[in-house]
Amino acid sequence: MTGPAELQVARPTVALFATCFNDTMWPQTPRAVVTLLERLGCRVVFPREQTCCGQMFTNTGYADAATPLVRRFVDVFAGADHVVSPSGSCVGSVREQHAVLARRAGDAGLEREVRSLAPRVLELSELLVDVLGVTDVGAYYPHRVTYHPTCHSLRMLGVGDKPLRLLRAVRGIDLVDLPSAEECCGFGGTFAMKNADTSIAMGADKARHVRETGAEVVVAGDNSCLAHIGGVLDRQRSGVRTVHLAQVLASTQEEQA
Amino acid sequence: MTDLPAQETSPTFLGMPSFQHAAEAALADTQQRRNLAHATATIRAKRAAAVGEVDGWEDLRLAGAAAKDEALHHLPHYLEQLEAALTARGATVHWARDADEANQVVVDLARAKATDEVVKVKSMATQEIELNEALEAAGIAAWETDLAELIVQLGEDRPSHILVPAIHRNRAEIREIFARRMGAVGRAAPDDLTDEPARLAEAARLHLREKFLRARVAVTGANFAVAETGTLVVVESEGNGRMCLTLPETLITVVGIEKVLPTFADLSTMLQLLPRSSTGERMNPYTSMWTGVTPGDGPQEVHVVLLDNGRSRVLADEAGREALRCIRCSACLNVCPVYERTGGHAYGSVYPGPIGAVLNPLLRGTSSEVDRSLPYASSLCGACFEACPVRIDIPSLLVRLRTQVVDEASGRSAEAASMKAAAWVFGDHRRLEAAQRAATLGGRLLGDRTIRSLPGLGAWTQARDVPTPPTETFRQWWARTHGDDEGDLDDARGQPVVEEQDLGGAGPHTRQEGS
Amino acid sequence: MSSREEILARLRLATGDVTSRPGERGPVPVSAATAGAAQDTLELFVKTVTDYRASVGRCTPEQVGAEVAAALVRARAHTVLVPPGLETSWVARARDAGLRLRADEAEDGGPLTAHELDGIDAVVTGARVAVATTGTIVLDHAPDQGRRALTLVPDQHVCVVRADQVVHDVPDAVALLDPARPLTWVSGPSATSDIELDRVEGVHGPRTLDVIVVC
């Protein structure tokens, strides 16, 4: 393995927000973040008091239930220089929704704290490219891969082509464009349950586009979207598996994350 | 929010089922699915090209939003200015609190002209108030003259799109409707009518021309009403608008009060934003502007009906009011993955798609089943906000309206109970850890078997497999591998890394990578 | 309370939180494409009009009559409407070619009726201003263009535009227009995309649009 580029910031400390969903259902993803960042020379800390950003509550209409989670998030992470999370949608919730929730609750102090913290909360590709200044993270991943840009990373956070720049620098990868890549996969949180038929119609089309690429692996920056896309692909016995971006980037010749 | 009167649901849409329910049937309509997929893909590509040509599109969007906000924030001022300018130019201004009042104004004006027919330019406001039905009840025929509206009217159908109301119909269906129905209401379609779009358009031209030439009263909407000058603007493509605005003696324009623009100069922004967002053209074929009565040119009797019908209530909602910026371009419909699959009818209103999902509950309130379901008719993918030429943050408005729906239900649902329980778990990491132990126990019991059905998850598992829970959560792994380094951030800041961690170990068993 | 008073009262209540004053935003920010050289603007105009499948010709002032006659003959027009203020030399060649020129005047001395206009094949007009980025001509229905119905009912519209009337972008045109006049913006021939989003030229307005640019 060749070493990655020199970091813009010397040995930064990065607080990991694993997200409740990844912590419980996809631990391999935050583990890959840890592997990757430590390999790049960061110090990773995991504040154990963290739980959930509240997005599921907010987006389903349960703002009152989400507000204490905003408070908790601020309390846990306020001291961090950089917070990273392997979920565009949870980062989007922190950056775009927490302040709205604080204001709705009439808590000006909390809103101030949120506005101060939110810009330091980054999706993985943002941390790597914007803060650490790397696109070649020294990864090796010898598979045919297509990349689905999730809606919240693309349109809420505006990560642009950062994930693709990171993927293009991966050794051994055979990266193919996904047709209609920017169209929503149909997950949408509780949308997948409340409007299951429409969600599945969207998922079926996304799965079709994935299969058209001939890819073996579909990669995205959000396990929730991947669970939906992968759920459809698995049901079809499509022979395509889903992998989080962090795991591709953490993989090396010696070790697949 | 102040309790200003909501818009009454019009008779056509009373008792509509929820969006989810209506969508099930729409999704099964294979012809419509194909028609919509083709049409929306076509117009998305056209729009992207037309917008891509403009340097500084974002500046234009900001200017468009600012113009509408200026008008909305000072609406009483600009409406009075508009009224004064129109009156000075010989027009008569009427004010209508609701649909019934607006319809009565139009019916009375048509009756005073002793006519039994009016020609109409496609207008969302008159559809909203169901003017055609009110005119019909008064014995006055209302001829829709936009090609798509003609298709819908002859087919005894409902519009399913703001800009292309017959988007759900293909050429073969349109040929059948024209051949079967035109003769009953005027000039019949030619016997050898084919389904070529040019032949269909020609049939419409011939059918409608006799109506244009004899009509004495026209009813239109307006895209913009300029307060400063009293200028009304209609943006169109076919020339049916020009016919209606030019040939009859009497012109009645029904305008939602949110259509006001402060100044004539604001048109320079709007005429760049609207056509490119709407039909994906640099400019639509025809835009007509008229300011009251012009002696010797066009209608010599000009009426303007200013319509509230729930808009003041939306304006009173500080967050919701930005929805009133909408210029009915329909860009949000064309990019919406939900609309593309369900079509417009499932939205239970003349306003379908993402903007309909916010506008209808704002205008009508959330007391009906369909209006309560509309805020959830979105995956919150954000494509609508990105496409909106006046920067209406539709996803945020949807989320806010969901909160309104939940708050009004006051926690009386199974969902509310489970949300409350989940929020309690997330309220403390120790509770979360306890809950996770149950999940990983499930994971250990399941091994690497695939979950194809799960009680309570029917909506998920009908077409998707379920990921198997892992045997070890992330935080369990962290505790095992990183031990005490829990990350006291204040102590940790800026300190060097003193030890290398062993990062070995395989992942848990799920069908996602890592197994 | 009248509907007017009640609506205004509702709106005052609804905007009670607003602290700014009307007009406080300042002048309208005009966002327009940067104009290049005049020649670039003209080339762009010709390109964008052509994109609408309208025909565009360029000629010197002396050639206008011939260009107009050629356009009318091409579309097989027999009768041609001439607005009262039109430069007479523009239609002289058409008359010489045997086309019948009609003024907007019925036998009773009043303007032509809609039915009479429907029997006329073509109209020749000037324009107020033209927009390069969008390929638009704007009519303000001055005497060289005639009242609105004249450019609407006949099936062919031949529009003569002077090169110095072509501006670069939409805001340049808006700034030149008089809102007190009726205004018609024309971008290509009448068209519809209502059937499967396929563009079809020619519904109710003139199906043939000829633009002649005089340089």
Side-chain angles (χ1 to χ4, degrees), chain A residues 45-68:
Chain A
V45 294
F46 175 74
R48 188 183 165 188
E49 293 76 17
Q50 65 179 277
T51 58
C52 167
C53 66
Q55 181 185 201
M56 176 183 74
F57 304 98
T58 312
N59 283 351
T60 314
Y62 293 84
D64 290 343
T67 309

Side-chain angles (χ1 to χ4, degrees), chain B residues 70 97 202 205 281 308, chain C residues 6 10 23 199 203 207:
Chain B
E70 169 71 19
R97 281 173 285 213
E202 167 76 10
R205 177 187 174 94
E281 294 166 299
D308 181 345
Chain C
E6 185 174 333
R10 286 177 185 175
R199 188 180 169 97
V203 196
R207 286 182 286 191

Side-chain angles (χ1 to χ4, degrees), chain A residues 217-252:
Chain A
V217 180
V218 55
V219 168
D222 236 309
N223 277 323
S224 47
C225 306
L226 284 176
H228 167 72
I229 299 169
V232 175
L233 287 167
D234 282 355
R235 180 64 57 95
Q236 297 174 346
R237 316 294 191 271
S238 65
V240 184
R241 71 183 186 283
T242 55
V243 181
H244 193 283
L245 175 69
Q247 291 158 244
V248 175
L249 299 180
S251 294
T252 60

Side-chain angles (χ1 to χ4, degrees), chain B residues 19-72:
Chain B
F19 176 86
Q20 291 90 316
H21 189 73
E24 278 177 43
L27 287 164
D29 183 343
T30 55
Q31 177 75 68
Q32 174 172 290
R33 286 282 293 275
R34 184 172 158 66
N35 295 352
L36 281 169
H38 169 73
T40 54
T42 305
I43 200 160
R44 275 200 301 267
K46 281 183 72 179
R47 178 198 164 273
V51 167
E53 271 185 5
V54 180
D55 292 334
W57 180 254
E58 194 55 31
D59 289 342
L60 269 179
R61 290 177 82 208
L62 289 165
K68 294 296 285 193
D69 282 350
E70 169 71 19
L72 292 169

Side-chain angles (χ1 to χ4, degrees), chain C residues 25 67 75 137 169:
Chain C
R25 67 174 168 153
E67 286 288 321
I137 50 179
D169 204 354

Side-chain angles (χ1 to χ4, degrees), chain B residues 195-483:
Chain B
D195 64 3
E196 277 172 74
R199 292 293 314 278
L200 295 167
E202 167 76 10
R205 177 187 174 94
L206 295 171
H207 177 79
L208 287 171
R209 184 146 292 220
E210 63 178 16
K211 291 187 163 66
F212 289 135
L213 295 180
R214 72 171 188 235
R216 292 165 49 220
V217 176
V219 180
T220 79
N223 294 91
F224 307 106
V226 180
E228 176 188 38
T229 58
T231 306
L232 296 175
V233 183
V234 162
V235 174
E236 52 132 357
S237 294
E238 295 168 9
N240 63 307
R242 291 179 68 191
M243 290 282 178
C244 294
L245 296 168
T246 307
L247 299 182
E249 301 148 20
T250 301
L251 176 60
I252 306 164
T253 304
V254 181
V255 194
I257 50 178
E258 84 285 13
K259 293 285 179 180
V260 175
L261 279 182
T263 69
F264 193 74
D266 287 313
L267 289 175
S268 66
T269 307
M270 293 303 174
L271 291 180
Q272 292 182 79
L273 288 172
L274 178 54
R276 290 182 196 264
S277 301
S278 183
T279 52
E281 294 166 299
R282 293 174 181 135
M283 191 61 84
N284 50 291
Y286 299 130
T287 296
S288 296
M289 305 181 184
W290 73 101
T291 304
V293 175
T294 303
D297 187 349
Q300 297 299 294
E301 189 174 330
V302 171
H303 296 271
V304 179
V305 183
L306 299 174
L307 174 72
D308 181 345
N309 206 30
R311 287 160 175 77
S312 52
R313 176 192 168 92
V314 183
L315 188 66
D317 181 337
E318 283 180 46
R321 68 167 62 126
E322 76 175 72
L324 293 178
R325 287 183 203 148
C326 175
I327 55 175
R328 314 283 189 257
C329 72
S330 69
C332 62
L333 277 63
N334 301 326
V335 299
C336 177
V338 175
Y339 174 87
E340 181 188 336
R341 289 168 180 81
T342 63
H345 294 155
Y347 292 82
S349 152
V350 300
Y351 302 111
I355 188 63
V358 294
L359 209 45
N360 297 316
L362 285 168
L363 284 167
R364 304 192 295 209
T366 43
S367 57
S368 77
E369 198 181 349
V370 63
D371 288 323
R372 271 196 303 276
S373 71
L374 284 176
Y376 293 94
S378 166
S379 64
L380 303 178
C381 82
C384 48
F385 181 28
E386 190 178 60
C388 178
V390 286
R391 301 188 94 260
I392 302 170
D393 185 352
I394 294 174
S396 294
L397 289 176
L398 287 167
V399 169
R400 206 192 57 82
L401 283 163
R402 291 176 185 188
T403 306
Q404 184 180 323
V405 170
V406 166
D407 288 352
E408 284 172 2
S410 312
R412 290 184 302 269
S413 72
E415 179 188 270
S418 61
M419 285 289 176
K420 197 174 167 193
W424 181 82
V425 170
F426 288 128
D428 188 293
H429 64 285
R430 283 158 300 214
R431 289 179 216 142
L432 174 61
E433 285 161 7
Q436 285 176 331
R437 281 192 286 276
T440 50
L441 175 63
R444 279 191 290 274
L445 291 173
L446 282 158
D448 58 1
R449 277 172 296 178
T450 301
I451 306 176
R452 303 216 192 277
S453 71
L454 206 61
L457 275 180
W460 181 272
T461 54
Q462 59 171 307
R464 314 172 189 92
D465 288 351
V466 178
T468 314
T471 52
E472 183 185 51
T473 65
F474 173 75
R475 64 179 65 226
Q476 288 165 350
W477 172 84
W478 178 270
R480 186 163 61 75
T481 57
H482 288 63

Side-chain angles (χ1 to χ4, degrees), chain C residues 115-127:
Chain C
H115 279 99
E116 285 167 325
L117 288 173
D118 195 35
I120 296 174
D121 298 324
V123 61
V124 180
T125 72

